[in-house]
Amino acid sequence: MRPSVCLSVGVLFFLGIIPSCRMRPKRPPRWKCPTSCNCTIDNVLCDGSNYIPTTYSLDIISVLFTSCSFEEISDDAFLKLKHLEYLFIENNNIKKISGNALRGLRSLIHLSLANNHLESLPSGLFRTLTAIKHIDLRGNPLHCDCQIKWLVQWVHGAGKNVALWPPLPCEEPPKFKGKGLHELSDTDFYCMSSNIVQRWTFKLPSLSVKAFEYNSEQYVVITHPFEGRCTFLEWDHVAYQFRYYDTIKGISVVSCLPLVIGKQLFVVVAQLYGGTSVYRLDPSPGSPSAFHRFQHFPDIRKPNDLESFTSAEGEHYFIIADSAKSGASTLYRWDGRGFYPQQQLPRWYRDTDAEPLILSGSPHLIMSSGSQRPLVYRFENKHLERLTDIPEAWDVYAVKHFTDAEDGIFACLVRYMGDSSLVRWDGSMFRQLQQLPSRGSHVFQPLLLGQRWHALLGNDFGYTWIYQLEKWKHWEIEETNDKEGPIGPLVPLQELKILEARAFTTVQVRGRQFIFVASFGGDTVVFEYVEKDQAG
């Protein structure tokens, strides 16, 4: 036996794991020793072998492979060695191990795979090693991706009492660079593959779609402008699909906003002609609709968007964005008996969109308009006060925001002419991160699908694109040298064959997640977001 090889096993002698090879007498074997190996009655040492032997003595308790040229360990490589206690596969060129390579080793106490070229290990590799006490993975460049999620779970679960010498610190992906295996948890890995599948179609073009919950039931309201109505759908717990619930009729309806206040359901209906009305759910026997007009506001000339928010004191508000040339967007407050004007914003702005959000723990509002950059208002003392604007953001039609628990507050800015953009709040203002080509777009909507944020970009001259927000190490825009333009955290994921999309919303029911798409030039389409675990 060569001294260098003996030293590797000898270290375990001083640790009290196995006897030193120098002290074990070599005896004539009762079986044929494999070529390129040295054998005693209960030990095998293969130095420089180009294969794994298939014949062993059934009494073997220790096997060592070192400086060998084979690159893979196949299923059931040691199946007959039911008494094997020590298996050393060290300093080789091994790149792959099959999932059942260690099957049958129920007596194995010590396993060393040190100093190979393993970048991943198959799920459940150690599952059948019921007697294992020590595992050595040192010197292997394991990739810290979904292929080792199972190993992280095993280390903190079934294998928590096994002494583990970990592999090299993570090199990939960048977010885990330098971390050790014990520093990771299974929550660090998102290992789902996803697909968006079309489920249903509801006839007639639509301008907006909103999901809401009332009395623990899930509803969706769709705005049909040409038909002049708000159509309500409810989830059918028997048929496992959405069904018709009720309708509110109007004239050139552009938006239907549900408001749940206590045990009451109100719906604000904005019309191009005839003003804006508030309806209340009040089922009456013999009535054609369960919704009845509660209030009417005739002064709004050209409503373009409806949004609601709740103040820090728990008061309910909604705002109508008025895009008329001399119109004024108006904020309304619920006083317990009805909705009444609380504040008018400056006229002549031609506001197209309102977006409530929380910044620094307090309510704010972003107003988009056709005359200036989007304005950020702070809401305090029951009043909207101008705070700042979003720089480099002219001709923005609408703003939709989202909050990521780790990376902060983002907003998607959509332009009909020009590129849409992703911006991020830095504590005092929104700064641009990324631009996306979007000529002919009215909506750039962030949605939380599964556990990850996505952004859906509609287009009047093309199909809808879905982008996925990736973890990004640069929180400022980064120019590329090619013609593709800037890169950033939003990456293309999937195309939906929907033209002239105007709004998107999601609703979750019975463990399923659906995406409603309002299309001005086609039907309202419902997709389902489906995930599959791809962890190793």
Side-chain angles (χ1 to χ4, degrees), residues 343-364:
Q343 180 184 355
Q344 275 194 343
L345 297 183
R347 293 183 180 274
W348 304 98
Y349 282 179
R350 294 182 289 130
D351 294 327
T352 55
D353 179 79
E355 177 68 0
L357 72 165
I358 300 296
L359 296 175
S360 302
S362 63
H364 287 67

Side-chain angles (χ1 to χ4, degrees), residues 289-448:
S289 175
F291 293 96
H292 301 275
R293 182 183 283 187
F294 179 70
Q295 283 180 279
H296 183 64
F297 308 107
D299 299 332
I300 302 299
R301 299 177 57 187
K302 194 178 179 181
N304 206 74
D305 187 33
L306 293 173
E307 298 295 341
S308 64
F309 65 93
T310 304
S311 69
E313 296 75 27
E315 293 185 310
H316 296 274
Y317 295 82
F318 74 84
I319 188 168
I320 305 176
D322 192 341
S323 61
K325 202 167 188 179
S326 60
S329 297
T330 306
L331 180 69
Y332 295 83
R333 180 175 70 90
W334 170 256
D335 71 352
R337 297 171 298 174
F339 296 95
Y340 296 95
Q342 180 71 19
Q343 180 184 355
Q344 275 194 343
L345 297 183
R347 293 183 180 274
W348 304 98
Y349 282 179
R350 294 182 289 130
D351 294 327
T352 55
D353 179 79
E355 177 68 0
L357 72 165
I358 300 296
L359 296 175
S360 302
S362 63
H364 287 67
L365 190 72
I366 301 176
M367 297 296 298
S368 302
S369 70
S371 62
Q372 60 187 343
R373 295 178 297 194
L375 297 180
V376 181
Y377 291 86
R378 178 172 52 230
F379 184 78
E380 57 184 4
N381 299 323
K382 301 181 181 181
H383 197 77
L384 290 169
E385 294 286 348
R386 178 171 173 172
L387 178 64
T388 184
D389 62 14
I390 300 180
E392 302 177 11
W394 293 98
D395 301 319
V396 171
Y397 179 78
V399 175
K400 302 299 176 187
H401 87 287
F402 64 99
T403 302
D404 182 84
E406 294 182 2
D407 295 325
I409 300 170
F410 300 82
C412 296
L413 283 57
V414 64
R415 291 183 178 93
Y416 188 79
M417 298 297 293
D419 293 340
S420 295
S421 57
L422 177 72
V423 298
R424 179 173 179 263
W425 180 253
D426 68 0
S428 61
M429 63 186 303
F430 282 99
R431 296 187 180 276
Q432 183 172 277
L433 292 179
Q434 184 178 4
Q435 289 185 318
L436 298 167
S438 63
R439 289 166 181 80
S441 297
H442 283 91
V443 58
F444 190 18
Q445 177 70 55
L447 295 177
L448 185 63

Side-chain angles (χ1 to χ4, degrees), residues 6 37 65 106 109 124 129 271 313 321 342 352 437 482 496 513:
C6 195
C37 299
F65 293 94
R106 298 189 177 276
I109 296 173
L129 305 182
Q271 306 174 120
E313 296 75 27
Q342 180 71 19
T352 55
D482 55 31
L496 297 183
Q513 185 172 16

Side-chain angles (χ1 to χ4, degrees), residues 392 432-435 472 474 476-488:
E392 302 177 11
Q432 183 172 277
L433 292 179
Q434 184 178 4
Q435 289 185 318
W472 204 39
H474 305 289
E476 58 185 23
I477 198 162
E478 188 174 281
E479 299 289 342
T480 62
N481 294 322
D482 55 31
K483 296 182 179 180
E484 295 181 358
I487 61 174

Side-chain angles (χ1 to χ4, degrees), residues 190-199 448-451 454 466 468 493-494 496 506-507 511-515 526-534:
Y190 187 78
C191 303
M192 309 299 291
S193 66
S194 62
N195 192 22
I196 295 177
V197 183
Q198 184 172 332
R199 294 302 187 201
L448 185 63
L449 303 178
Q451 299 180 25
H454 298 70
I466 301 177
Q468 182 172 281
L493 180 66
Q494 184 175 343
L496 297 183
T506 65
V507 57
R512 301 170 69 183
Q513 185 172 16
F514 299 99
I515 306 169
V526 184
F527 297 86
E528 183 173 4
Y529 179 76
V530 181
E531 288 187 329
K532 182 180 179 181
D533 195 344
Q534 296 294 307

Side-chain angles (χ1 to χ4, degrees), residues 57-173:
S57 167
L58 297 181
D59 296 325
I60 291 295
I61 63 170
S62 175
V63 173
L64 169 62
F65 293 94
T66 186
S67 301
C68 298
S69 59
F70 54 84
E71 297 183 353
E72 181 178 351
I73 303 178
S74 303
D75 286 345
D76 301 321
F78 312 100
L79 184 62
K80 297 180 181 180
L81 302 182
K82 61 181 180 178
H83 299 299
L84 188 68
E85 297 181 6
Y86 308 97
L87 177 59
F88 305 89
I89 309 174
E90 301 178 340
N91 302 298
N92 301 291
N93 194 36
I94 297 172
K95 299 177 181 178
K96 181 180 178 181
I97 297 181
S98 297
N100 295 313
L102 305 179
R103 184 160 51 189
L105 300 180
R106 298 189 177 276
S107 299
L108 195 67
I109 296 173
H110 182 95
L111 170 66
S112 176
L113 299 171
N115 300 316
N116 286 288
H117 298 280
L118 295 168
E119 295 181 352
S120 65
L121 295 174
S123 178
L125 179 65
F126 308 138
R127 182 179 60 251
T128 60
L129 305 182
T130 55
I132 196 70
K133 299 294 183 183
H134 316 91
I135 296 177
D136 191 349
L137 299 177
R138 287 176 294 182
N140 286 289
L142 291 188
H143 286 188
C144 300
D145 54 18
C146 289
Q147 298 302 311
I148 69 159
K149 179 180 178 180
W150 76 269
L151 181 58
V152 172
Q153 293 172 326
W154 184 85
V155 166
H156 296 290
K160 63 182 179 180
N161 294 322
V162 176
L164 178 70
W165 287 276
L168 294 171
C170 301
E171 285 292 331
E172 295 290 341

